[in-house]
Amino acid sequence: MLTDRLLEAGFDRVVVLSGEDCGYPEYGSVVIALWGYQAEGQPAEAGAWIHPYYFASQRAYLAAAEAVRGESGARLRDDIRVKPIFARLPGFSQGRNTLSYVEGLGSRFHVQIIATDDPLPVTHRLEDAPHPLPCGECRRCLDACPTHAIDDQGFHRERCLRNWMMSGKPIPPEVRRMGNRLIGCDECQRCCPRNPEPAGEPHEAVALDDLLTRTTETCAMLRQQIGANLSIPNRVLGQACLLAGCSEQQELRPLLEPLSDHPSEVVREHAAWALEQFKK
């Protein structure tokens, strides 16, 4: 059975819903598979850091693709909006940061969605109304966000670091201080009392000089770890330029200078900004 295959593949939880209940009557069932991961006890400080979510995301995708192979009428879907489902799913809720939370895993999980033609035995029913915000008077994520993307008025996507990473667009100057983050930001999750304490060992960061000078080869390696969509060379290179500027490591300056004439507008603009940081 599909649910058993998903659990055997490494997913922590599998929820089966009626397609009609979820607003997708064309499907017999909507299967939500959660792949949990641990936060790192101490994220890497040097080089280019990748949030552990993205390693989990790639592993979960490969595991789900294998699980549905040979399952007649079952297929992975990326067009089903999962947050409205979580808002009415028992045991789930949403935080001020708009991330979804589930009991036991907090917000540290990746989701794979599978639609089936034939209905499977339903494990949950959606509630009639969305759950209220459970944060109460807690303001930890508001205080922790480095770009003030969360405030009393809500979540402001245009200020969120993650919103811009690997977007393929020039990043506004006010959110270019990415620190050492290549992809992902952990601040609002790390401080949240609803998340388990960080326990995972820190992974080795990607060397900035490799990203700046051996971009294609380094992205080929990253593709195996975080997937093709997040390892497009020009997007990774543009992000690496910002990290080099934030690091202010003088030895990176000669690696940035040729990038000021790069064919990519994003790379050119980010490299020029990074070089300006060395003058301050």
Side-chain angles (χ1 to χ4, degrees):
M1 187 174 180
L2 177 60
T3 54
D4 294 332
R5 287 168 62 90
L6 290 166
L7 292 170
E8 291 168 1
F11 285 90
D12 291 270
R13 301 185 192 180
V14 178
V15 174
V16 181
L17 300 165
S18 157
E20 185 172 3
D21 199 19
C22 294
Y24 297 91
E26 64 271 30
Y27 301 131
S29 295
V30 171
V31 181
I32 300 175
L34 309 183
W35 188 287
Y37 67 91
Q38 284 189 328
E40 297 184 349
Q42 179 59 51
E45 295 180 358
W49 179 71
I50 298 171
H51 192 287
Y53 168 86
Y54 298 97
F55 299 115
S57 171
Q58 178 68 355
R59 290 193 294 270
Y61 167 73
L62 294 174
E66 179 63 27
V68 301
R69 186 175 289 119
E71 289 279 341
S72 178
R75 55 211 173 273
L76 298 180
R77 304 298 308 186
D78 59 6
D79 57 349
I80 292 178
R81 297 182 62 226
V82 73
K83 285 189 177 182
I85 294 174
F86 284 159
R88 297 166 51 210
L89 188 59
F92 286 73
S93 60
Q94 191 174 80
R96 296 185 191 274
N97 53 10
T98 74
L99 296 179
S100 297
Y101 288 74
V102 61
E103 295 171 2
L105 295 176
S107 62
R108 298 196 184 280
F109 61 89
H110 170 78
V111 180
Q112 284 290 318
I113 308 295
I114 300 166
T116 68
D117 292 336
D118 297 325
L120 301 175
V122 170
T123 62
H124 293 72
R125 295 284 183 184
L126 298 184
E127 296 175 355
D128 293 335
H131 308 134
L133 187 73
C135 302
E137 298 299 317
C138 181
R139 297 175 54 87
R140 294 187 190 182
C141 62
L142 280 70
D143 297 334
C145 181
T147 53
H148 308 291
I150 314 167
D151 61 22
D152 290 325
Q153 281 68 53
F155 173 71
H156 304 273
R157 183 174 297 278
E158 71 279 4
R159 300 181 202 162
C160 177
L161 294 179
R162 175 59 191 94
N163 177 61
W164 292 99
M165 293 170 174
M166 309 300 187
S167 67
K169 303 175 184 177
I171 296 178
E174 60 270 21
V175 289
R176 287 180 180 174
R177 287 259 159 219
M178 298 281 186
N180 70 335
R181 304 173 180 92
L182 183 67
I183 180 70
C185 178
D186 200 45
E187 299 303 323
C188 66
Q189 296 186 81
R190 183 168 288 271
C191 69
C192 182
R194 299 169 63 205
N195 271 329
E197 288 294 322
E201 291 295 323
H203 68 274
E204 185 176 352
V206 184
L208 280 174
D209 55 353
D210 283 343
L211 289 171
L212 295 172
T213 62
R214 301 178 62 253
T215 310
T216 300
E217 298 89 336
T218 306
C219 285
M221 176 271 293
L222 289 176
R223 192 173 301 117
Q224 306 302 315
Q225 300 177 329
I226 61 176
N229 291 339
L230 297 177
S231 53
I232 299 171
N234 280 353
R235 297 189 181 189
V236 172
L237 182 57
Q239 183 71 11
C241 289
L242 296 185
L243 272 56
C246 291
S247 76
E248 299 182 7
Q249 298 176 33
Q250 289 295 331
E251 63 270 23
L252 297 177
R253 182 169 184 167
L255 306 183
L256 287 164
E257 289 171 345
L259 299 176
S260 297
D261 295 321
H262 194 276
S264 165
E265 175 192 3
V266 174
V267 174
R268 290 197 307 271
E269 184 171 331
H270 289 183
W273 178 87
L275 288 167
E276 283 297 317
Q277 308 315 301
F278 289 100
K279 299 177 182 179
K280 296 179 180 179

